[in-house]
Amino acid sequence: QYLSMLRPELIVSPMAETLFSSIENITEPHRFTTSVVCLTHLARQLVRQTSSYSAGQVYVLPLLMSVLPGIDLNDPKKISTTLKFLNTVLSLITCVDCSSAVHIRNDLTEIEKQVCLSTKLFENFISTFLDRVFQMIEHLSSDMFDATMITDEVNIDYRDIELLLESILRNITGQCSSTIYRVCICNNIEHHLQPIYKYM
């Protein structure tokens, strides 16, 4: 974390690449969890844009999509680690599709253009994330899941997971609510409502 503040170009990009490679490595699943833990501590440097390093923003959407398989009921620790990463990143960014900016602005750098274009993935990310959450809830509430068989340690894990999910969903719905509010105070409400729905 401290090294990434001093030299983000030497730490952030290699850590992101390490996570991508760990997803494809099925023989060492622990590498995925370790990489996600590290990236959670680097999240602020990942999303920041400074004069010396702004390439980290390019990794944000691909990373958000890449960690979703971590929502795996067979491994509560992996779920908790994944949700901590998502919660940290989503508390630092706004989930808005900015891809149209590349056609409107003529002063964007190449990295800024890449970041804007990558925000098209927000809709897919939120949809996939919610699908996985609902599947998890459905499984946990089904008759097949015997709550009496859960140990105290796993109970603690699931309480942590519940709190993390609540925080993430509050971030997402809060952004949607504030966007709708801003639109409704505009003069031409009907003109603005249509693009808002795609962010929800």
Side-chain angles (χ1 to χ4, degrees), residues 57-126:
Q57 294 182 341
V58 175
Y59 292 103
V60 173
L61 265 298
L63 285 172
L64 289 178
M65 293 297 297
S66 296
V67 300
L68 288 178
I71 303 176
D72 177 9
L73 270 177
N74 296 318
D75 191 342
K77 184 178 179 181
K78 185 189 284 187
I79 297 178
S80 181
T81 301
T82 300
L83 293 180
K84 283 177 184 174
F85 173 74
L86 293 175
N87 186 44
T88 302
V89 174
L90 291 173
S91 66
L92 297 171
I93 63 174
T94 303
C95 300
V96 176
D97 183 349
C98 303
S99 56
S100 60
V102 298
H103 305 296
I104 300 170
R105 301 275 299 271
N106 57 9
D107 58 343
L108 300 176
T109 65
E110 284 305 312
I111 289 178
E112 287 171 338
K113 288 179 182 178
Q114 289 182 53
V115 173
C116 287
L117 291 173
S118 73
T119 59
K120 282 184 176 182
L121 293 172
F122 268 128
E123 183 176 353
N124 187 26
F125 161 72
I126 293 175

